[in-house]
Structures are given as C-alpha cells and as structure tokens.
Amino acid sequence: MKKLKSIFLALLTLAAFSLQGQTHNEYEISFDNRVHHETNIKVKFSNLENKVLEVRMSRSSPGRYAVHEFAKNVYAVKATDSKGNALIVTRSDPSQWNIAGHDGTVNFEYTLYANRAGGTYSGIDELHAHLNIPATFVWAKDLGHRPTRLKVNIPDGSNWKVATQLRNEGNNTFYAPDTYYFMDSPILMADLHMRERMIDGQNIRLALNTPATDAEVDAYFEEVIKIVEQQKAVFGELPKFDFGAYTFLSNYMPNASGDGMEHRNSTFVVSGKPLDRPLGNTSMGTMSHEFFHAWNVERIRPASLEPFNFEDANMSGELWFAEGFTSYYTNLIRARSGNITKEQYINGLGGAVNYVINAPGRKYFNPIEMSYRAPFVDAAASIDPDNNANIFISYYTYGSVLGLALDMSLRSMDNGKNLDDYMKHVWNTQGKKEIPYSVRDLQSRLAEYAGEAFANEFFSNYIFKSDMPDYEGLFQKMGVTFQHTNPEAPTLSAFIRINNGIGRLAGNAIIGSPLYQAGIEREDKLISINGKLLADVKNANETISDLKPGDQVSVEIDRWGKKMTKMVTLAANSSMRTGWDQNADAEAQKRREDWLKKK
C-alpha cells in the first residue's frame, strides 16, 4: 500500500511539473473606458511555430445554436512580436486576423465594444462587466489545447469582485485547462452579493448583481438551495463539478437583457429588473431551468453537440429532450421545493399543452425536426419575414409537454415508474460517464427502464411522428382536470391590434383559422367586422360577442388601397385549461401527491 501511495504521489508531482512547464495562452483585460462600454484586451501567444498565426473571434456560443457575428464589435487591432515590433495583420474573413513574420511570440491587442448583458453577449459599464467569453475574447487556431490564464485588472476605486467557474489562482488571475473550457466560462464582475453553501462536499455559490438588502439576498439564496436539493433528488446526486464548485452568475439590472444560459459549472441568469423592485422571486424559474442543465445538456449531452463548433451554427435533433425535458422540470421542481404552490403548478400546465395540441406546425415537423430549426430561431437574426407561426413549435414547449406526458404515462403504470427514475437511469448510463447520446440511445434507455414495447410506442408515435398523447385521459389519472375554457364562444382565432381605427393581424394568419380560410393576411387593413367599424370598439372580439360558432360574418378589408369584403365563418374556442380536480378518486390523488411532493 505504501509503495502504491508513493507511486501515486510521484505521478502527481510529475503532472504538476508538466503543467508548470506548459505554454499558456495569456490574456489580460482592462476597463479604463467602461463608461462608454469599451474594454481593452491583450493576448500573448508564445512558443509559436514558424507559420502564420490565425486568430479568430467566435461566431457561436455554448448553449446557443444560431450564428452570432461577435467580431463586429472588435476594433483597434494591433499585433507586436516579443521585442515590441509592429506586425502586419491581414484579414482572411470577417472573423479572422492573420499575423505573419513573428518571432515565435505574438502580442495581440484590441478594443471590444460590449453593451448587451445577456446569455449570449457581453455588457460593460461603470457598475459592472458581464462577459460571455466567445463574445469577448479571441482565440488562436491550433492552440486550443493549451491552458489559458486570464489577468483581470479591476478598475481603480471600484468594489468589483470577480465571479466565474474558472479556477482562481489569486491576484485576480484565473485559469482554464484549454480554450474550450475557457470559452464555456462566463464572468460577472461588480460589487456582488456573494453567498455559498457546501452540499455533499461541493460549493454552491450565488454571485448576485442587483440592489438588495442582505436579508433579501439570504432569503433568495435559501430558495435557490431548495431548488438545488430537489434537482439533486431527481438524479440521486450532484454532478462532480470541476474545481468543486457551481456558480449562479445572476445579473438583475435595468440595462440587462433577460436571458439564461447554461455552462458546465455555472450559469448566467439575467433580468432587466428595475432598481426599485424588490428581489423577490426574480428569475427563479430560469435559475431552476439552468441548474437542471448541469445534468441534462452539460453531462447528459447530445452527440450532435460534441464537439461544439465555435465557428458555425450547431444543429441538434435532441433539443426536445435537452431543452424540452429541462423545461418540464423547471416549474415542477419549483412546486416540489415550495417556491410556487402545487395548485399554481397544476393550473399552469394547460397553456403549454393547449399550444402544442392546436399548433399547425405539427403537420410539418416532428420534435426532432423542430429541434433542427434551432439555428433559425434561437436568437437568430434575420430581416426577412418567416412563417414560423404556422410551421414551428418551440422545442422547449414541445419537449416539455412530451416530458409531462411521459411522466404521467409512467406514473399511471402499475409498477411505480416515473420520469425521475428514467432521468436517473439516463444519468447513470450516459451522463455520469459522459457518453454522448443519440435519440435512439434515449429510446434504448427507456426500453431498459419501462419495457421495449412501451418505449417503441412512445418514440414511434410522439418523437419520430408528431401525434399527441391522450392528455385528457392522462390528466384524469393524475387528479387534474383538462377542460375547454368556453367551448360555446365564437372566435376569429387571431389577435387583432386596433390602431387609429384600423385593425391588423399581430402575426401571420394561422392555418385553419377563420381568417386564413377566408384569405385574409397580416398586411391587410381590417376596417369592419360584422358591420361594426373597428374604430368604434376597443377589442375586435366585441364585434362577434353575440354570435355563435359556425355563424358567418362579413369582414371589410383594405388591401393595398383596394377595399373588399370577405365572408368569415366563426370557429369554436378550442383553448383548454388545467385545474386541481377536487373530485379525483383515491388512486389519482395518490399519484398527484407522489408526483408533486417534496423529495
């Protein structure tokens, strides 16, 4: 035993010596002109081969699937060699700078403009620095394997603290084992409220930037810890966090862009909370969602996202599970932790189910294909109109209602199955071992857990096809009502905005809706409905309130200066809502209690 221990210690010493001797990519960041949202960044690439150094800015970011041109905010670029001699910088594409003629060292310096604090972009001002790494720092091709060190120059006179999942080496210097980890490690700097709690030997940290009292922050952190504990109960354990810590980087300021973004050992949770609003439950749903990603996405990871491509869009057919099942657990965990009531949770289920059931997009794409569309919709920027209202269903929502259906189906079996234990099985077989999965792997894990026939039926009907489960029957078994809100009410199945007496559709006419069937579109100006001028009503529904489904009404429109009348057949209101079934039988009440109770 002593001999083995000696060998182990010798190997550790050798590894430490090897790391000390390894060449690092050295970064330094300063904030002298932060009032104008600028930062100065210096990078030293050394021990280079005698060839052109290719320096790049990322075009995509972990957790985001569309392309974002971060290089647009980089300027005042210059490069020097080890002796300070200026080097010529050329451009091969909008996101790359090429440096030749160096002496084995390139000192690369630039200014970055950053004025959108969110999950994808960076934001800098006098009060804080919110850094998403791909939107902030360049990197060099062929040097991604090297460790990274970042020196942060805290502004003079500020009380800024630095919060990040990077390893703190002291003196405001931070370490990443390689470029990939560096790119996945956001940083928040401000006069932060800091809280931490050890759970099973690992540190759960909150770094919060917002005006709040110590008592408010303490109460908020306790709510976060309850959510952490309930999510841990689903999987049976916390992930093993690198460097032994997980950090919530919470930035709640009026100039922030509401968002949440998962990373391997941290998350950005961002809200445009007004300064005078109490902290309360700000973004608690996002906190729940993003922490669940520590298992589902970061370690239970789709093979299609490995490795993540920082130079292009990232497409995955598994987002209905990665994002959607995470969305299912977002509020379920809040109900179990007591952050919201069980009744609030139940009453909130109907909207998502109703949306997916009635969405025309299921005619075009199944959940896998909906996931493929992420590069077009995940904060993607384009200026030409699209028809997403008719062809797309958010994989967040689609996946969440499939997770709900799977959980209710498993809980309705006679053998005590549930989605928690299926997720734990996927964790133990895929995530804990960090074996990336495919859709077929998820089907195989479900077959192992609940039987091959059940798994084949669920995936065949609801994943590879876009059929819908029997939600009414499933809800009934769980002690939940699922009823039409007002089936006798007529509807135009459209939201019409009235401005200066003229009505316009808020979006594309929905396939199958009364206005779509009548040939009316969003560019048409609506003048009257059922003989009533829209100038005389506050809401278009006032014009049909005394009618019933199936009745026909005339709709006068102006299309590019030509007036015409369309006949529209009113539809029945198809919206449904969920509720707490006070008359549920004993078995349904027990299933409901087991489903929602604290673990």
Side-chain angles (χ1 to χ4, degrees):
M1 180 65 71
K2 288 183 178 179
K3 185 176 181 181
L4 287 174
K5 186 176 180 180
S6 298
I7 293 173
F8 179 66
L9 290 173
L11 287 173
L12 282 179
T13 302
L14 181 63
F17 178 80
S18 175
L19 285 174
Q20 289 173 0
Q22 194 170 1
T23 302
H24 289 64
N25 299 326
E26 304 281 351
Y27 290 76
E28 183 177 357
I29 187 167
S30 303
F31 303 96
D32 296 336
N33 200 29
R34 62 193 184 281
V35 68
H36 294 298
H37 314 294
E38 286 187 340
T39 179
N40 178 258
I41 296 170
K42 299 176 181 179
V43 194
K44 181 180 179 180
F45 301 108
S46 57
N47 198 20
L48 301 175
E49 295 182 16
N50 186 22
K51 64 179 185 180
V52 173
L53 178 68
E54 299 174 319
V55 176
R56 287 196 64 84
M57 198 72 179
S58 297
R59 300 180 66 233
S60 55
S61 180
R64 196 108 272 168
Y65 309 105
V67 167
H68 301 272
E69 303 294 357
F70 299 127
K72 67 183 178 296
N73 286 323
V74 173
Y75 47 92
V77 172
K78 60 182 179 181
T80 59
D81 64 15
S82 65
K83 299 178 180 63
N85 298 312
L87 297 170
I88 295 175
V89 179
T90 59
R91 304 293 294 274
S92 59
D93 70 46
S95 296
Q96 183 164 314
W97 297 262
N98 297 329
I99 303 100
H102 55 76
D103 60 359
T105 295
V106 170
N107 298 299
F108 190 89
E109 185 175 351
Y110 59 98
T111 297
L112 178 83
Y113 180 81
N115 192 21
R116 186 178 173 89
T120 307
Y121 301 99
S122 294
I124 296 166
D125 56 38
E126 281 191 296
L127 297 179
H128 84 305
H130 171 117
L131 307 180
N132 182 42
I133 305 303
T136 306
F137 294 104
V138 298
W139 47 274
K141 280 191 171 183
D142 301 326
L143 301 183
H145 61 285
R146 290 183 175 181
T148 292
R149 280 202 180 96
L150 169 65
K151 171 64 176 176
V152 177
N153 294 317
I154 300 295
D156 292 338
S158 75
N159 295 316
W160 285 13
K161 307 178 189 75
V162 181
T164 178
Q165 70 178 31
L166 296 168
R167 188 176 75 194
N168 190 339
E169 296 195 324
N171 194 32
N172 289 318
T173 300
F174 301 87
Y175 166 89
D178 53 36
T179 296
Y180 194 103
Y181 191 91
F182 183 51
M183 288 290 123
D184 191 39
S185 301
I187 302 171
L188 181 61
M189 289 176 264
D191 187 8
L192 299 168
H193 300 277
M194 303 292 291
R195 298 291 186 274
E196 58 184 37
R197 180 78 51 82
M198 294 299 292
I199 298 178
D200 294 346
Q202 300 194 89
N203 200 3
I204 305 299
R205 304 185 296 198
L206 171 67
L208 174 62
N209 180 37
T210 199
T213 65
D214 285 344
E216 283 184 289
V217 178
D218 288 343
Y220 189 83
F221 186 54
E222 290 305 318
E223 292 298 308
V224 172
I225 291 298
K226 291 175 186 176
I227 285 172
V228 169
E229 293 280 15
Q230 287 304 300
Q231 293 193 2
K232 172 192 157 189
V234 172
F235 294 98
E237 61 185 343
L238 292 173
K240 186 174 181 178
F241 299 121
D242 303 318
F243 312 131
Y246 183 93
T247 307
F248 291 95
L249 304 168
S250 299
N251 191 14
Y252 306 155
M253 298 293 285
N255 62 339
S257 173
D259 200 358
M261 190 57 61
E262 72 277 3
H263 298 274
R264 183 170 171 83
N265 305 291
S266 63
T267 180
F268 254 148
V269 179
V270 192
S271 168
K273 182 181 84 66
L275 293 175
D276 58 352
R277 192 180 77 190
L279 180 57
N281 269 336
T282 301
S283 296
M284 195 60 72
T286 310
M287 299 286 273
S288 176
H289 182 96
E290 301 306 330
F291 190 65
F292 201 85
H293 275 320
W295 292 271
N296 193 29
V297 166
E298 292 301 330
R299 290 162 178 86
I300 303 174
R301 190 154 180 83
S304 51
L305 295 180
E306 282 296 311
F308 190 85
N309 185 355
F310 291 99
E311 300 182 59
D312 206 346
N314 287 261
M315 189 177 80
S316 171
E318 291 81 24
L319 298 185
W320 59 270
F321 181 83
E323 295 288 359
F325 275 42
T326 298
S327 295
Y328 167 63
Y329 273 101
T330 297
N331 283 333
L332 176 59
I333 292 295
R334 294 180 70 195
R336 288 177 178 175
S337 75
N339 185 252
I340 59 174
T341 68
K342 295 177 174 62
E343 288 80 3
Q344 284 176 317
Y345 174 69
I346 291 298
N347 293 339
L349 292 173
V353 176
N354 183 74
Y355 159 61
V356 176
I357 286 176
N358 291 312
R362 287 193 297 111
K363 300 175 184 178
Y364 299 97
F365 303 115
N366 64 27
I368 297 169
E369 294 162 328
M370 289 296 179
S371 300
Y372 287 152
R373 295 190 65 78
F376 304 135
V377 300
D378 185 47
S382 57
I383 60 173
D384 59 320
D386 59 54
N387 199 23
N388 282 337
N390 281 309
I391 66 172
F392 179 67
I393 304 171
S394 166
Y395 41 83
Y396 286 85
T397 311
Y398 203 159
S400 74
V401 302
L402 291 177
L404 168 66
L406 180 55
D407 201 3
M408 293 192 297
S409 298
L410 291 168
R411 290 177 183 277
S412 299
M413 293 179 173
D414 297 327
N415 50 8
K417 300 292 184 183
N418 56 73
L419 188 63
D420 293 357
D421 288 342
Y422 169 64
M423 296 300 293
K424 187 183 299 182
H425 180 60
V426 176
W427 166 248
N428 286 324
T429 54
Q430 305 273 167
K432 191 172 181 178
K433 301 174 183 178
E434 302 210 32
I435 302 172
Y437 68 85
S438 66
V439 173
R440 289 296 187 186
D441 290 325
L442 295 176
Q443 182 178 357
S444 296
R445 301 295 82 78
L446 185 59
E448 293 162 0
Y449 175 70
E452 188 171 346
F454 175 82
N456 290 348
E457 180 182 5
F458 187 87
F459 273 77
S460 295
N461 291 330
Y462 312 131
I463 306 303
F464 297 114
K465 292 198 298 185
S466 51
D467 293 345
M468 280 281 97
D470 174 18
Y471 282 99
E472 188 171 356
L474 289 170
F475 276 129
Q476 185 177 13
K477 292 177 181 179
M478 300 301 296
V480 177
T481 59
F482 189 50
Q483 300 170 332
H484 285 282
T485 55
N486 191 356
E488 302 302 319
T491 180
L492 293 164
S493 300
F495 181 65
I496 298 171
R497 292 194 179 102
I498 301 175
N499 188 25
N500 295 325
I502 298 298
R504 286 185 182 272
L505 298 186
N508 291 2
I510 302 301
I511 292 173
S513 69
L515 296 185
Y516 185 94
Q517 298 289 69
I520 296 174
E521 256 304 339
R522 65 184 302 174
E523 56 266 25
D524 294 324
K525 298 178 181 178
L526 280 63
I527 300 170
S528 69
I529 299 175
N530 195 27
K532 300 174 184 178
L533 292 174
L534 294 186
D536 297 334
V537 299
K538 293 182 179 180
N539 189 310
N541 290 331
E542 295 177 31
T543 64
I544 60 171
S545 59
D546 57 346
L547 302 177
K548 61 183 183 299
D551 286 348
Q552 276 199 334
V553 296
S554 60
V555 177
E556 185 183 5
I557 67 172
D558 181 328
R559 180 174 293 168
W560 312 120
K562 182 179 180 181
K563 292 185 178 179
M564 60 186 74
T565 299
K566 301 280 188 176
M567 297 307 297
V568 176
T569 302
L570 300 177
N573 190 328
S574 62
S575 63
M576 303 185 71
R577 64 186 174 197
T578 47
W580 194 275
D581 189 353
Q582 302 289 351
N583 301 313
D585 61 37
E587 287 187 2
Q589 290 186 47
K590 184 178 185 307
R591 290 191 195 101
R592 187 176 63 198
E593 173 61 22
D594 290 342
W595 176 29
L596 303 180
K597 70 182 181 183
K598 180 179 178 181
K599 306 300 179 186

